Amino acid sequence: DLALPEIAVTITETAFEGVPAELAAGRYVLTVTNALEAGAGPLGPASSGVNFLRLTGDLTAEAFEAFITQVAASDATPQAADVAATPTASEAGALAPPPWLYEVALPGGPYALSGETASAVIDLTAGEWVLWGEFPGAPRAPVLVTVTGDAPAGVPAMNADIQITMAEYAFVVPTPLSAGPQVIEIANAGQEPHFFTLARVPEGTSADDALAAVIARYGGPAVAGGLRAEDLAIAFVHGTQSAGVTAWYAADLAPGAYVAFCFVPDPVNGMPHVMLGMTQIVEVE
């Protein structure tokens, strides 16, 4: 309905299909169809998605491929989902983020459950990009995409039902959120990359309870008698957005209680943002 060009990507067990080798700069509807079997996604049951990443003079396509190969060979991941219960990057090891994470352009991207399709509206500028799944250990190789020219003037304005802002280290979320199909505008007003993830939790769950369960879900010890890791059900997640980036996502939220969090590591100490206070209980009515 936006009269925008579409990039339609299908995630299979071994590849990202449908990715064009060249694109013109501008605003796109990025649509992702998840053809993985249930349970195959890195962020929970069957959840998987894509994001673009613009290469730099230092981070060439060869350097990025070498990074992917090195991480896969080490059986580690620099994503903050590898939390464990350790407070620093030096102790957690796998949490140490690559320096380029804070320098590259990351426009965001949609994540979808197995057998489903999700969409986002993103902006791409001229340059060399890779489309990847934000998961170095995944079997799907990143795809190089060349974006050329200047973005056209007068791109259609986006009308969002909800506006959410991310910064260091908190979310600004209108409460309560509305249930049902909607467009969510998510803006990164901070200086570091961020993402906004919602996981269903039982009613009455506190932010501390949810944080303990998040840590347990991603490798840390469970709290006896507390919220279980399996009590967290990922309901919405999107690709990381770099500083200053705004993107728009189609979402369909059911009523209930959720916990919002961001796992991107701090560039100084490697602490996941969720451990620095970037977690919040959100009600959907």
Side-chain angles (χ1 to χ4, degrees), residues 164-185:
I164 294 171
T165 302
M166 309 180 290
E168 290 78 69
Y169 293 105
F171 302 107
V172 178
V173 183
T175 302
L177 296 181
S178 298
Q182 55 204 287
V183 174
I184 302 178
E185 177 184 292

Side-chain angles (χ1 to χ4, degrees), residues 23-28 122-127 147-155:
L23 289 167
R27 178 163 291 177
Y28 287 88
I122 64 168
D123 294 315
L124 295 176
T125 55
V147 179
T148 60
D150 297 322
V155 294

Side-chain angles (χ1 to χ4, degrees), residues 2-285:
L2 297 172
L4 290 171
E6 182 183 20
I7 306 168
V9 179
T10 298
I11 304 174
T12 70
E13 298 293 340
T14 58
F16 298 114
E17 297 182 355
V19 185
E22 293 187 10
L23 289 167
R27 178 163 291 177
Y28 287 88
V29 175
L30 176 57
T31 301
V32 169
T33 298
N34 183 347
L36 301 176
E37 296 181 1
L43 289 178
S47 176
S48 194
V50 299
N51 199 349
F52 280 92
L53 180 153
R54 191 173 64 194
L55 300 169
T56 66
D58 293 329
L59 183 65
T60 62
E62 293 76 15
F64 186 76
E65 183 178 355
F67 161 75
I68 296 292
T69 302
Q70 180 183 12
V71 172
S74 66
D75 196 30
T77 172
Q79 285 193 331
D82 232 6
V83 172
T86 50
T88 66
S90 60
E91 294 176 5
L95 282 178
W100 50 256
L101 176 64
Y102 310 94
E103 302 169 359
V104 298
L106 301 164
Y111 275 60
L113 296 177
S114 177
E116 297 185 0
T117 297
S119 297
V121 173
I122 64 168
D123 294 315
L124 295 176
T125 55
E128 293 295 322
W129 296 75
V130 291
L131 181 137
W132 73 312
E134 300 192 299
F135 183 53
R140 292 160 291 281
V143 181
L144 183 64
V145 179
T146 300
V147 179
T148 60
D150 297 322
V155 294
M158 295 298 300
N159 295 316
D161 301 291
I162 298 170
Q163 289 83 32
I164 294 171
T165 302
M166 309 180 290
E168 290 78 69
Y169 293 105
F171 302 107
V172 178
V173 183
T175 302
L177 296 181
S178 298
Q182 55 204 287
V183 174
I184 302 178
E185 177 184 292
I186 301 181
N188 183 357
Q191 301 301 309
E192 301 177 22
H194 294 295
F195 63 78
F196 176 79
T197 294
L198 285 176
R200 285 291 299 268
V201 293
E203 292 289 346
T205 298
S206 70
D208 288 343
D209 293 337
L211 176 58
V214 165
I215 293 172
R217 179 178 183 128
Y218 295 109
V223 176
L227 188 67
R228 300 171 303 168
E230 54 267 32
D231 291 330
L232 295 174
I234 299 294
F236 174 80
V237 61
H238 65 84
T240 306
Q241 295 175 207
S242 50
V245 167
T246 298
W248 298 264
Y249 301 90
D252 188 355
L253 302 176
Y258 296 77
V259 59
F261 53 81
C262 172
F263 271 124
V264 174
D266 178 84
V268 176
N269 58 25
M271 273 272 230
H273 291 167
V274 67
M275 303 291 286
L276 298 171
M278 205 162 180
T279 182
Q280 181 177 337
I281 297 298
V282 177
E283 293 290 336
V284 176
E285 297 180 352

